[in-house]
Amino acid sequence: MPHVSFRERRFEGDVDYVVVGSGAGGAAAAVVLARAGAKVALVEAGAWREPEQYPSSAYGAMRDLMDDWGATVTMGRALWPVVQARTMGGTTVVNSAIAIRTPADIFTQWEREHGVGGEGLRDQVWAEQAVLERELCVEEVPVGSRGRSNELAMKGAEAMGFESHWIRRYAKGCEGTGQCLQGCRKRKKQSTNVVWVPEVMERGGLVLSCAPVSRVVLEGRRAVGVEGRFQHPATRELGASFLVRATKGVVVAASVTHSPVLLMRSGVKNRALGQFFRAHPGTGVFGVYDEPVDQNVGATQGWASTHYRETPGLKLETLSVPLELVASRFAGGGVELMKRLGQYRHVAMWCHAVRAESTGTIGHAPFSSKPVVRYTLNADDMERFRQGMYLLGQMHFAAGARAIIPGIAGLPFQLEAKDVELLRNGPTDPRKYIAILSHLFGGCVMGADPTRSVVDGEGRVHGYEGLVVADASVIPTNLGVNPQHTIMALARLFANAMLARA
Ligand SMILES: Cc1cc2nc3c(=O)[nH]c(=O)nc-3n(C[C@H](O)[C@H](O)[C@H](O)COP(=O)(O)OP(=O)(O)OC[C@H]3O[C@@H](n4cnc5c(N)ncnc54)[C@H](O)[C@@H]3O)c2cc1C
Ligand code: SF4
């Protein structure tokens, strides 16, 4: 099957549907269209990498797999990284593969606030998620792959008396190498580059890698294709141009930051474009244990709790972090840093993700397609954030930690149990915390009102023909749970709706 590289001369192709982006939304839509017998082109900005070629270090992952080296940050009171991938398979390559169904209250909220959703959509999404769970081999982290950090988290939650669970993930027989964030070299994680992109090719589809789309081609208000120039994956040098014409439709699934920018730069007019950006910002607290924890052994994320999803609005999870990222969190240098890093085998990192209400915007710099994310947490969200830190600190001590390392500017490097209240009264200035945004929503939100939304309940861009958005950018609220399962289910529904209209 054709796989066109950036080195070749100008490429032109003709298909029924062209899909921009091969991540959670794009690949899910592409495979549905291809299975129905349509000729599909999947156009991906990032490079094709076999799992055996994935980097082994966090530095290598930033270089080879991340969008903009992971250097996109929120422009707001704090500069927090907005983390997404740029590789064949999108962020499914570097994520932890946690699969969790869309909570029922979300559909009620969407219907009430955005005029889409309700029980009808809920039933359709859950039916798709049941299929996805079978197709992507969703299973609970196997007992032998849990690792000590995950087991200690379960012990901490039990001691504090709140509900929690072993995580269910799109991973078939996880071997617990703790490498999910650098890509699963063992091919256990069912990322889209491993499962669906090859299937699209087997079904006669065309896959373009190293092919950032610069513009959706519009004829009047009808989308008829996409164009751009191939780009070298290492030097970022631009190469030959490409044009893919599509007779039946263009699906944009380039992520929360890139989809709105692509539509803006294509000339799509809509007041809500780039608005209503949301996220689940989060960070972690290290616990220091007398026993070796070896957090790099075991599933990257094996334990979670949704107990605090509604009040105060938090999800708690474990996360194994490689040594170089731990070094970036342990303040200091020289002998002092080496001494601190000497504890590496004894530390466990547990995180919270805030179900934040704050909204931001996506835009782009003048004459550039680089997204600009404007976002700052409001006072209520910072209070949630602070409560998350306190809960994690308490959990570590409940699990038997001798100290915690909270990583909050202005507080001591290490705290003992008697000092945990310092977290409850910790700073509310976001600049005092090192956090990241990995669950992103909005920018092309769906809704019934074209003045407050970009797409309708089937992903169609209001006022345009043949133009659908099928990624996390359509999600109009936060979810309070990990988003991939919701994104994939919506993308499948949108693709089926396109087929029904054809
Ligand atoms: C570290 C990390 C861990 C996570 N863990 C989980 C988890 O365990 N479970 C979960 O549910 N969620 C998780 N998430 C979130 C989840 O991975 C994302 O929400 C999801 O992948 C977003 O899907 P998407 O289709 O919107 O975008 P993506 O999956 O990011 O795909 C977008 C694709 O579009 C491509 N693209 C961008 N611009 C262009 C362009 N102009 N032309 C062509 N292609 C373009 C990108 O290169 C990318 O491949 C995690 C995220 C991160 C960063
Ligand atoms: S923990 Fe290791 S084996 Fe398991 S899915 Fe992640 S990278 Fe693959």
Side-chain angles (χ1 to χ4, degrees):
M1 252 340 296
H3 173 243
V4 180
S5 98
F6 78 98
R7 289 183 193 284
E8 295 175 31
R9 286 196 290 178
R10 177 171 170 82
F11 173 82
E12 292 195 12
D14 291 280
V15 293
D16 297 323
Y17 299 96
V18 60
V19 180
V20 181
S22 63
V31 82
V32 166
L33 296 168
R35 284 175 189 170
K39 174 115 201 243
V40 178
L42 191 50
V43 185
E44 166 56 51
W48 180 291
R49 289 180 203 278
E50 293 296 328
E52 296 71 26
Q53 301 169 330
Y54 292 155
S56 53
S57 67
Y59 168 82
M62 288 161 91
R63 181 195 58 213
D64 295 347
L65 304 176
M66 294 301 185
D67 189 32
D68 197 24
W69 281 72
T72 302
V73 294
T74 51
M75 306 308 279
R77 194 158 167 76
L79 305 179
W80 286 345
V82 179
V83 187
Q84 293 185 119
R86 183 187 176 100
T87 185
M88 188 64 72
T91 310
T92 71
V93 176
V94 299
N95 74 15
S96 302
I98 299 170
I100 184 157
R101 287 197 187 186
T102 321
D105 58 78
I106 289 297
F107 300 101
T108 316
Q109 187 185 0
W110 288 355
E111 187 174 41
R112 189 178 62 241
E113 296 176 6
H114 303 277
V116 293
E119 290 180 3
L121 184 64
R122 180 199 66 193
D123 293 346
Q124 289 180 61
V125 165
W126 284 356
E128 291 295 339
Q129 289 175 335
V131 175
L132 283 166
E133 284 156 21
R134 288 193 295 276
E135 219 176 278
L136 299 184
C137 313
V138 170
E139 62 181 29
E140 193 175 279
V141 174
V143 177
S145 302
R146 281 181 190 159
R148 194 66 187 134
S149 174
N150 294 315
E151 288 170 356
L152 284 168
M154 182 62 86
K155 184 178 165 192
E158 280 172 2
M160 286 177 68
F162 67 84
E163 281 167 44
S164 71
H165 58 270
W166 303 115
I167 290 177
R168 287 166 55 75
R169 302 184 310 148
Y170 319 97
K172 191 177 177 185
C174 167
E175 291 183 16
T177 62
Q179 288 273 311
C180 291
L181 306 188
Q182 289 99 279
C184 181
R185 288 179 168 204
K186 303 268 183 185
R187 291 182 182 262
K188 303 298 180 191
K189 183 165 62 168
Q190 306 294 293
S191 50
T192 60
N193 60 323
V194 173
V195 288
W196 288 336
V197 180
E199 185 180 337
V200 169
M201 291 167 79
E202 278 157 22
R203 290 179 181 275
L206 171 73
V207 174
L208 273 63
S209 63
C210 302
V213 169
S214 57
R215 195 169 74 96
V216 175
V217 182
L218 296 171
E219 280 178 7
R221 293 220 151 210
R222 182 173 180 79
V224 295
V226 300
E227 62 181 16
R229 287 178 68 187
F230 292 103
Q231 189 173 35
H232 192 285
T235 65
R236 304 289 191 258
E237 185 191 350
L238 290 174
S241 59
F242 61 84
L243 168 69
V244 182
R245 287 176 288 263
T247 50
K248 295 187 177 164
V250 173
V251 179
V252 173
S255 80
V256 162
T257 58
H258 287 283
S259 289
V261 171
L262 179 57
L263 292 185
M264 285 173 200
R265 289 179 60 83
S266 304
V268 169
K269 303 284 179 237
N270 181 298
R271 272 196 285 167
L273 197 53
Q275 302 297 310
F276 310 117
F277 167 79
R278 291 174 192 268
H280 292 155
T283 192
V285 173
F286 290 101
V288 186
Y289 292 81
D290 287 330
E291 62 173 299
V293 176
D294 291 327
Q295 59 164 326
N296 52 324
V297 177
T300 305
Q301 299 200 264
W303 169 94
S305 172
T306 52
H307 182 76
Y308 298 99
R309 178 177 170 271
E310 284 177 28
T311 314
L314 294 165
K315 180 155 193 255
L316 306 181
E317 292 171 350
T318 48
L319 176 67
S320 62
V321 199
L323 180 64
E324 58 266 45
L325 289 186
V326 173
S328 72
R329 280 289 306 268
F330 282 13
V335 175
E336 187 60 28
L337 180 60
M338 289 303 118
K339 210 169 117 196
R340 288 173 175 177
L341 284 175
Q343 301 187 102
Y344 178 69
R345 290 197 58 204
H346 293 261
V347 297
M349 158 75 112
W350 301 343
C351 306
H352 65 71
V354 178
R355 191 180 173 193
E357 297 294 339
S358 308
T359 57
T361 61
I362 308 286
H364 62 90
F367 313 111
S368 163
S369 56
K370 189 172 156 44
V372 175
V373 181
R374 297 190 190 284
Y375 184 70
T376 294
L377 287 195
N378 64 25
D380 288 346
D381 286 333
M382 278 313 300
E383 182 52 37
R384 294 184 176 98
F385 194 100
R386 188 163 74 157
Q387 289 185 44
M389 301 299 283
Y390 180 52
L391 267 171
L392 293 171
Q394 287 179 304
M395 241 182 90
H396 275 303
F397 289 120
R402 78 171 129 84
I404 56 168
I405 300 172
I408 303 172
L411 260 59
F413 173 71
Q414 205 155 300
L415 298 176
E416 294 175 12
K418 65 179 173 47
D419 301 319
V420 74
E421 293 300 314
L422 287 174
L423 299 188
R424 188 212 288 266
N425 304 312
T428 51
D429 181 345
R431 292 173 300 181
K432 304 286 184 188
Y433 299 89
I434 303 166
I436 65 158
L437 280 61
S438 59
H439 298 169
L440 315 174
F441 312 99
C444 300
V445 296
M446 62 178 170
D449 179 355
T451 64
R452 289 184 54 244
S453 61
V454 177
V455 302
D456 68 10
E458 292 184 350
R460 290 176 291 190
V461 177
H462 294 300
Y464 290 80
E465 279 177 57
L467 185 56
V468 163
V469 183
D471 61 13
S473 69
V474 305
I475 297 179
T477 61
N478 60 42
L479 298 179
V481 296
N482 316 61
Q484 182 176 328
H485 220 29
T486 304
I487 299 162
M488 284 181 162
L490 287 174
R492 285 169 68 106
L493 289 174
F494 293 175
N496 276 319
M498 286 182 94
L499 290 166
R501 287 193 301 271

